[in-house]
Amino acid sequence: MSFTQSELDDLAQRYTAAWNSKVPENVAAFHTPSSSIIINRGEPSKGHDGLTAMAAGFHADVPDLHLTCDGIRGAGQHVVYMWTFTGHHAETGNPLHVQGWEEWELDEDMKVTSALGWFDGEEYDRQVAG
């Protein structure tokens, strides 16, 4: 099974809007109930509760987080969603400009069944510290 570029573009637009809604449950809703994400080889965030908590954590750290989609590509049911987020760190107030991507496995309903997320953690820490 594969998806058209139009279907992927629509998915990317809706996923980006979910992050920008500042409602963590909206992000989790793109995943199946048993899905998980592992970010930068860290501990997995599992299920809707874990995924909601992951998104809430990003929104707590960067209350004015604004996500943009830099592109989406698919190969069968494997999809790469490239992104940039900007905002200001909650504690330091320092501006952030972070780029990364998520690798998704999708089911036939275009729900994420598993995900890997990547961004430069050292660069993020540098920007937080100023």
Side-chain angles (χ1 to χ4, degrees):
M1 164 173 294
S2 62
F3 305 101
T4 67
Q5 188 61 46
S6 178
E7 289 172 318
L8 293 173
D9 290 342
D10 178 66
L11 177 63
Q13 181 180 20
R14 292 184 293 110
Y15 186 71
T16 304
W19 272 99
N20 290 330
S21 75
K22 311 274 191 281
V23 179
E25 294 83 2
N26 291 350
V27 175
F30 281 81
H31 291 255
T32 63
S34 62
S35 182
S36 66
I37 187 169
I38 299 172
I39 300 172
N40 290 346
R41 294 191 178 100
E43 291 298 313
S45 299
K46 297 180 182 178
H48 279 183
D49 289 345
L51 293 158
T52 298
M54 175 275 303
F58 275 99
H59 285 122
D61 289 346
V62 188
D64 62 343
L65 184 148
H66 179 77
L67 188 74
T68 57
C69 176
D70 300 330
I72 189 166
R73 301 281 182 272
Q77 289 180 265
H78 186 76
V79 174
V80 176
Y81 170 85
M82 295 156 283
W83 53 261
T84 299
F85 82 71
T86 57
H88 295 81
H89 191 262
E91 290 182 23
T92 66
N94 290 332
L96 302 173
H97 182 272
V98 179
Q99 294 180 308
W101 67 91
E102 293 181 26
E103 300 171 31
W104 298 332
E105 292 297 327
L106 298 180
D107 69 10
E108 61 278 355
D109 297 321
M110 296 189 85
K111 292 282 191 171
V112 179
T113 61
S114 66
L116 297 173
W118 302 98
F119 65 92
D120 186 335
E122 290 179 14
E123 175 61 16
Y124 175 84
D125 292 343
R126 187 193 67 71
Q127 291 181 33
V128 167

